[in-house]
Amino acid sequence: MPQIPSTTKGMQTRAHLLSSARAVFGRDGYVGTTMSGVATEAGMSLGGLYRYFADKEDLFAALVADTHDELFRASGTTAHRLEEDPYQALLDANTGYLTHYYDNRDIMRTLVEAASVEARFRDIWWQMRSRHVTRFATVLKMKFGMDEVDGLPVTRVAEAVACMVEQSAYVWYAQDSLQEDPIPVDQAAQVVTRVWHASFFGADRGSSV
Amino acid sequence: MPQIPSTTKGMQTRAHLLSSARAVFGRDGYVGTTMSGVATEAGMSLGGLYRYFADKEDLFAALVADTHDELFRASGTTAHRLEEDPYQALLDANTGYLTHYYDNRDIMRTLVEAASVEARFRDIWWQMRSRHVTRFATVLKMKFGMDEVDGLPVTRVAEAVACMVEQSAYVWYAQDSLQEDPIPVDQAAQVVTRVWHASFFGADRGSSV
């Protein structure tokens, strides 16, 4: 099993391989990518690549690991507090998520593909979305005492709203080659925040709800 | 290029092959399915299968074609009129969609996978979702004179809400093996309708909005 290198040169080579891998996965997709394609892109021998990564799965898992944590952080750091100004706090969170998603749309598109063919990536995808749902449902319970929305379990409504943000990001950015009319990230954030806010806090988005 | 058979026996064989193909695609996924796997499942020779379908793509396209139209019809037939009782009309539409999605969750899961590896199925998936968005945005413009929602283009909000229903159905039903606590279709329809209704018509879901 390859180890993460400890020398500066080793770390530089690993970073170069990851950046080459990102270009190949983004161009050829998960199923279409081969280890030899990545070695060629990196200008390195196949044996050299295998010294750093055990196989294609290992290589893609390394690419996804950082994105996963960064997306979660990007959507959790808000300038406003949810209990004081829910609309602005949600807009901050969604802007953070969508900006980061946009920057990593090649990896996110490949992750959806990988998740549909490999159980390991399906589990990563599932864990990614479950963290978001649980965090939001917990905040609604703790800060607003919200267990239900109109008689429906708050966790289910949070799941549906998380699906809305996840799939909108996928459609608008991961599949951006299909868009006739691209939507800027700031407008996308307003659209998903409008739906999100109306679902939990009603149509009035003033700062005193 | 294989033709659709005209004899009763030929049509029966074709239907038997499609039902075998459905079982294999549902079990092995799009990438994992092979023509010989389908022939074995059907108890038929590989040559026999190729007389009916040109290749795996052709076989899966035949499976998807019906589902596509039925989903669109199932979510368009409503007992209530949107302009008289938006909540109930949306609930009818979502119940129709989710019921049909649930019955075809194996095909829908395989379609998401196929769409991520084959341009032909990506186009089918895109067309499926675009029809839903266009239909809903057109109704909002025609029946409610709604061009904007809170200053945002109605088509963008309709896209986000369509993403919510599509991905919730995928998470809850196409990936039902991951659910610890399955959600019944009638509750799922209430959840997505709540989000949908609040986004366009506000939180009050009485029949006179």
Side-chain angles (χ1 to χ4, degrees):
Chain A
M1 191 74 184
Q3 303 279 315
I4 293 184
S6 52
T7 64
T8 307
K9 185 161 180 298
M11 286 189 290
Q12 282 169 350
T13 306
R14 187 173 185 275
H16 169 65
L17 288 170
L18 281 174
S19 130
S20 306
R22 181 173 179 156
V24 178
F25 279 119
R27 187 187 67 212
D28 299 343
Y30 183 78
V31 173
T33 290
T34 60
M35 287 294 268
S36 65
V38 174
T40 303
E41 175 80 20
M44 208 159 151
S45 73
L46 190 55
L49 175 58
Y50 276 111
R51 276 201 297 280
Y52 287 82
F53 298 98
D55 51 25
K56 177 169 85 172
E57 210 180 297
D58 188 33
L59 186 52
F60 188 61
L63 270 178
V64 166
D66 293 346
T67 309
H68 182 163
D69 272 348
E70 285 164 21
L71 257 185
F72 190 69
R73 266 199 303 277
S75 58
T77 314
T78 59
H80 298 82
R81 288 161 57 87
L82 192 68
E83 56 273 44
E84 281 160 17
D85 191 344
Y87 181 83
Q88 285 299 328
L90 292 170
L91 186 62
D92 292 344
N94 286 320
T95 303
Y97 178 90
L98 290 169
T99 302
H100 193 70
Y101 194 106
Y102 181 83
D103 293 341
N104 292 280
R105 60 197 185 280
D106 52 349
I107 292 178
M108 297 304 292
R109 184 181 59 245
T110 311
L111 177 60
V112 168
E113 179 192 349
S116 72
V117 294
E118 284 283 352
R120 175 176 178 178
F121 296 113
R122 196 193 56 193
D123 293 343
I124 289 176
W125 162 73
W126 192 257
Q127 203 193 325
M128 240 165 143
R129 56 188 323 289
S130 301
R131 280 176 87 183
H132 283 99
V133 172
T134 306
R135 178 173 62 185
F136 187 58
T138 304
V139 168
L140 288 173
K141 286 184 195 188
M142 302 286 284
K143 310 251 168 169
F144 296 89
M146 217 185 263
D147 280 316
E148 293 193 343
V149 180
D150 234 355
L152 299 163
V154 74
T155 308
R156 292 305 187 183
V157 183
E159 264 188 293
V161 171
C163 283
M164 185 262 307
V165 180
E166 177 189 16
Q167 187 72 352
S168 296
Y170 180 74
V171 163
W172 289 332
Y173 301 126
Q175 293 291 350
D176 57 352
S177 66
L178 299 173
Q179 292 295 324
E180 282 176 33
D181 182 20
I183 176 170
V185 167
D186 61 340
Q187 189 182 64
Q190 289 176 48
V191 169
V192 300
T193 303
R194 154 80 203 179
V195 174
W196 194 326
H197 186 269
S199 305
F200 292 101
F201 302 106
D204 175 14
R205 64 182 199 191
S207 56
S208 52
V209 175
Chain B
M1 193 70 187
Q3 303 281 315
I4 294 186
S6 53
T7 64
T8 306
K9 187 159 179 299
M11 286 188 291
Q12 282 169 350
T13 304
R14 187 173 185 277
H16 169 65
L17 288 170
L18 281 173
S19 131
S20 306
R22 181 173 179 156
V24 177
F25 279 117
R27 187 187 68 214
D28 299 342
Y30 183 77
V31 174
T33 290
T34 60
M35 289 293 269
S36 64
V38 174
T40 304
E41 175 78 21
M44 209 158 150
S45 71
L46 190 54
L49 176 58
Y50 276 110
R51 276 200 298 278
Y52 288 83
F53 299 98
D55 51 26
K56 178 168 84 171
E57 209 181 297
D58 187 34
L59 185 52
F60 187 61
L63 269 177
V64 166
D66 292 346
T67 309
H68 183 162
D69 272 347
E70 284 165 20
L71 258 183
F72 191 71
R73 264 199 304 276
S75 58
T77 315
T78 59
H80 299 83
R81 287 159 57 89
L82 192 68
E83 57 273 46
E84 280 160 16
D85 191 344
Y87 181 83
Q88 285 300 327
L90 291 170
L91 187 62
D92 292 345
N94 286 319
T95 303
Y97 179 89
L98 290 168
T99 302
H100 192 69
Y101 193 107
Y102 181 84
D103 293 341
N104 292 280
R105 60 196 184 281
D106 52 347
I107 292 178
M108 296 306 291
R109 184 180 60 245
T110 310
L111 176 60
V112 168
E113 180 192 348
S116 70
V117 294
E118 285 281 353
R120 173 175 178 180
F121 295 114
R122 197 193 56 194
D123 293 344
I124 290 175
W125 162 74
W126 191 258
Q127 202 193 326
M128 240 166 143
R129 57 187 323 288
S130 302
R131 279 177 85 182
H132 282 100
V133 172
T134 306
R135 178 173 63 185
F136 186 56
T138 304
V139 168
L140 288 173
K141 286 184 194 186
M142 302 288 284
K143 310 250 169 168
F144 294 89
M146 215 185 266
D147 279 315
E148 293 193 344
V149 180
D150 234 354
L152 299 163
V154 74
T155 309
R156 293 302 188 183
V157 184
E159 262 187 297
V161 170
C163 282
M164 184 263 307
V165 180
E166 177 189 17
Q167 188 71 351
S168 296
Y170 181 74
V171 163
W172 289 333
Y173 300 124
Q175 293 291 354
D176 57 352
S177 66
L178 299 173
Q179 293 295 323
E180 281 176 31
D181 182 22
I183 177 169
V185 167
D186 61 340
Q187 191 183 62
Q190 288 176 49
V191 169
V192 300
T193 302
R194 155 80 204 182
V195 175
W196 195 326
H197 186 270
S199 305
F200 293 101
F201 303 106
D204 174 15
R205 64 182 200 192
S207 56
S208 52
V209 175

